[in-house]
Amino acid sequence: MKTCKALLENLTYTIVKGSVEVPIAEVVYDSRKITKGCMFICIPGAHFDGHDFALEAMQKEAAAIVICEDIELPEEGNTTIIRVENTRYAMAFIAAAWFDHPAEKLKTIGITGTKGKTTTTYLVKSILEHAGMKVGLVGTIETIIGDRHLPAKNTTPESWLLQEDFYQMVEEGCDAVVMEVSSQGLMLHRTQGFIFDLGIFTNLEPDHIGPDEHDSFEDYMHCKGLLFKQCKIGIVNGDDKHYQDVVKDHTCALETFGFGDHNDLRAENMHLISEKGHIGVAFHAAGLLDMEVEVATPGKFSVYNALTAMAICRHFMVHEPDIKEALLQAKVKGRIELVKVSDEFTLMIDYAHNAMALESLLSTLKEYKPNRLVSVFGCGGNRSKLRRYEMGEVSGKLADFTIITSDNPRFEEPEEIMADIVIGMQKTDGKYITICDRKEAIRYAIEHGQPGDIVVLAGKGHEDYQEIKGVKYPMDERVLIQEVLEEIKNGQ
């Protein structure tokens, strides 16, 4: 049990009422979890405001309440009232103190950017574990603590949950943690309360702009840049046209990576690798490292991901053979994930679920000059129809053949969603077929695969479910592929 004063040690605050010497039994920010002797932090949210439950907290004999707004509370009672400028910001420091500052016992690596965060976190984890370290991971897909894989709710968890994860990683004997740091997470102070050892910027494109996210591209860019005021060393993509704006007013030492000669770590002599049922890319790393590298995923963005991971792991004195082996073997579920189905053609699963991501992926794969580029995808229900038109048009322009199928129809009819995709498709000369059942769409792609084809199952990626009428049914494309292969083998 800690005192209120101990939890507030790194914060500026005003005592509105009571004493900071009171003991705190637990810390809560969810009004449903208020208990006698707790500290209740009033968090303003999009739909609920914790300040509305301050009176309830007093009535339930909370030891302390932390506020950032003017509220009227009774004078009687023994509850201590603390005022801070921002309760979200304060919660991060309170959580760090409650869990005894676990981030100080780990090497902390935070990766921000529009694309590449997920893949890079797994690459870094793979390389560092090859070198004998034990590494925790926090990201879009999952949180990994020791042998436990916990599904993620947010790319960057709420500060309290993040500090709890760090604490559990320390308990599991982890040496380091690599995590995705979203612009939302930075904006909402989820990563305050500690200083990252390494902060990384991958790239920046217009995204996450709109209601409940960022008001403008400038705001989005500003939030990304907050990481470089909260890390010791910043490692940034020096080829990105926005990087200097992102690191403006940084407080960290800076290193750059990319293809340009001005970068500290550079990729040279990039060349594509295409073998039976497999595609990848190789390059020479120059500057801060000097080595030949091969990556088992395609395209220029794979080189950027590899460079990012190498620039990070260099700071851990990882030997070159460990870096090479890890980059060649690392797999990220649902991110350009190659699934071997034939020696004659290549099949992969990718999370590309909007027009920008699909265009980037298909454009990259066209560079390999496949016999045919086959795109298999659907679109989510209860989402913008514009996304459907755009994805249909992108696939029609770039793929040689498109199989339009179902994704997560939610509360819409899948046939209606597919019809919207066809509207976009018909703006092009692209050939297509519609197959509503996703397993049957995958079967068609495999049975009609031709030598030299590249087949992409886009949109689902790491997801292992299909959401229909409010229910999530199990559906993993890897399982579907194996079922199809087994059925074909048995003549079904």
Side-chain angles (χ1 to χ4, degrees):
M1 188 177 290
K2 292 181 168 63
T3 64
C4 181
K5 184 177 180 179
L7 296 178
L8 299 169
E9 61 184 349
N10 292 317
L11 290 165
T12 300
Y13 59 89
T14 302
I15 304 170
V16 178
K17 172 179 172 289
S19 167
V20 290
E21 299 298 340
V22 294
I24 302 298
E26 63 177 325
V27 178
V28 298
Y29 59 97
D30 183 336
S31 61
R32 296 166 296 183
K33 297 179 180 179
I34 296 169
T35 56
K36 181 178 180 179
C38 77
M39 172 187 277
F40 176 55
I41 306 173
C42 300
I43 304 292
H47 305 292
F48 300 100
D49 187 341
H51 292 83
D52 296 338
F53 301 93
L55 178 59
E56 179 186 337
M58 284 193 73
Q59 292 168 343
K60 290 183 176 178
E61 299 182 58
I65 300 173
V66 183
I67 62 172
C68 62
E69 296 174 5
D70 291 327
I71 55 174
E72 291 186 15
L73 292 170
E75 286 296 321
E76 62 270 17
N78 297 319
T79 301
T80 293
I81 309 295
I82 300 295
R83 178 153 187 165
V84 296
E85 185 178 344
N86 184 306
T87 47
R88 279 192 178 277
Y89 179 87
M91 181 165 69
F93 286 87
I94 291 167
W98 180 263
F99 290 106
D100 293 322
H101 304 283
E104 293 178 4
K105 300 159 192 168
L106 297 163
K107 288 291 185 183
T108 49
I109 305 158
I111 303 175
T112 198
T114 305
K115 296 187 296 189
K117 297 188 298 296
T118 301
T119 299
T120 305
T121 54
Y122 283 90
L123 288 178
V124 170
K125 187 175 191 294
S126 177
I127 293 172
L128 293 182
E129 288 182 341
H130 259 74
M133 295 178 67
K134 191 168 184 179
V135 184
L137 182 145
V138 179
T140 302
I141 298 174
E142 61 187 345
T143 294
I144 304 175
I145 304 172
D147 295 327
R148 288 183 292 146
H149 293 248
L150 311 169
K153 292 182 180 177
N154 296 306
T155 297
T156 306
E158 195 63 76
S159 59
W160 178 266
L161 301 174
L162 181 62
Q163 292 292 338
E164 186 176 33
D165 289 341
F166 287 172
Y167 173 80
Q168 292 177 4
M169 288 174 189
V170 171
E171 291 293 294
E172 285 282 347
C174 288
D175 308 295
V177 56
V178 57
M179 64 177 288
E180 296 182 51
V181 183
S182 67
S183 54
Q184 285 283 96
L186 287 161
M187 181 175 71
L188 298 174
H189 308 296
R190 291 175 182 164
T191 59
Q192 286 292 346
F194 68 100
I195 300 294
F196 284 98
D197 290 291
L198 298 171
I200 291 84
F201 166 66
T202 60
N203 51 62
L204 196 68
E205 293 180 13
D207 200 5
H208 301 292
I209 297 165
D212 298 332
E213 292 195 276
H214 297 285
D215 293 335
S216 64
F217 180 70
E218 287 70 28
D219 178 53
Y220 177 52
M221 184 163 57
H222 165 75
C223 289
K224 292 290 187 192
L226 294 174
L227 178 60
F228 301 97
K229 298 175 184 177
Q230 198 197 326
C231 68
K232 297 172 186 174
I233 298 171
I235 299 173
V236 301
N237 179 352
D239 292 346
D240 191 279
K241 63 183 179 180
H242 301 291
Y243 98 86
Q244 290 184 327
D245 291 321
V246 170
V247 300
K248 184 181 177 184
D249 300 325
H250 66 87
T251 57
C252 59
L254 276 184
E255 296 176 7
T256 58
F257 65 88
F259 284 80
D261 291 340
H262 61 284
N263 290 300
D264 299 312
L265 178 62
R266 301 179 298 280
E268 300 174 343
N269 305 323
M270 184 189 104
H271 55 281
L272 306 181
I273 296 171
S274 183
E275 299 167 353
K276 282 192 172 183
H278 163 76
I279 54 177
V281 64
F283 64 95
H284 176 77
L288 293 174
L289 291 169
D290 182 8
M291 56 190 288
E292 299 297 326
V293 180
E294 184 178 336
V295 186
T297 50
K300 197 170 184 178
F301 55 76
S302 292
V303 176
Y304 276 115
N305 292 338
L307 280 175
T308 313
M310 293 164 67
I312 294 166
C313 294
R314 190 183 72 83
H315 287 272
F316 294 86
M317 304 301 177
V318 181
H319 296 126
E320 287 188 10
D322 288 320
I323 293 176
K324 284 186 173 185
E325 189 176 350
L327 286 175
L328 199 52
Q329 293 180 0
K331 264 192 175 186
V332 183
K333 187 177 181 181
R335 299 303 198 275
I336 323 177
E337 181 185 352
L338 296 172
V339 181
K340 187 65 178 286
V341 297
S342 169
D343 285 334
E344 299 298 316
F345 62 90
T346 302
L347 184 143
M348 67 180 65
I349 296 171
D350 192 79
Y351 188 51
H353 61 293
N354 58 39
M356 181 175 70
L358 187 63
E359 183 172 17
S360 175
L361 176 63
L362 296 181
S363 297
T364 293
L365 296 176
K366 281 185 79 70
E367 294 176 9
Y368 286 82
K369 297 182 170 35
N371 171 49
R372 293 186 311 161
L373 180 55
V374 180
S375 168
V376 184
F377 78 96
C379 287
N382 303 104
R383 298 293 187 269
S384 168
K385 286 196 172 192
L386 184 60
R387 175 178 287 190
R388 304 168 192 176
Y389 306 148
E390 290 175 342
M391 288 187 73
E393 189 170 354
V394 164
S395 191
K397 284 180 179 176
L398 294 174
D400 297 293
F401 187 69
T402 299
I403 303 171
I404 301 170
T405 185
S406 183
D407 193 298
N408 291 321
R410 298 185 176 92
F411 289 94
E412 288 192 70
E413 293 303 321
E415 290 83 2
E416 292 177 10
I417 298 171
M418 292 163 62
D420 287 335
I421 297 172
V422 169
I423 291 171
M425 178 71 62
Q426 289 178 337
K427 293 181 180 179
T428 75
D429 296 327
K431 298 176 183 176
Y432 68 92
I433 189 173
T434 58
I435 303 175
C436 190
D437 185 288
R438 199 164 182 110
K439 180 178 176 180
E440 291 308 309
I442 292 171
R443 179 194 299 277
Y444 186 93
I446 292 174
E447 288 185 333
H448 291 81
Q450 299 176 13
D453 282 358
I454 296 178
V455 180
V456 183
L457 311 183
K460 295 297 291 176
H462 59 276
E463 292 180 353
D464 56 4
Y465 63 85
Q466 187 172 44
E467 188 177 344
I468 304 171
K469 303 281 193 259
V471 179
K472 288 185 176 181
Y473 296 92
M475 191 190 78
D476 187 321
E477 289 188 318
R478 295 145 205 81
V479 174
L480 297 184
I481 290 167
Q482 293 310 313
E483 288 177 356
V484 166
L485 291 175
E486 195 66 30
E487 289 166 10
I488 291 172
K489 180 182 174 183
N490 295 329
Q492 293 176 255

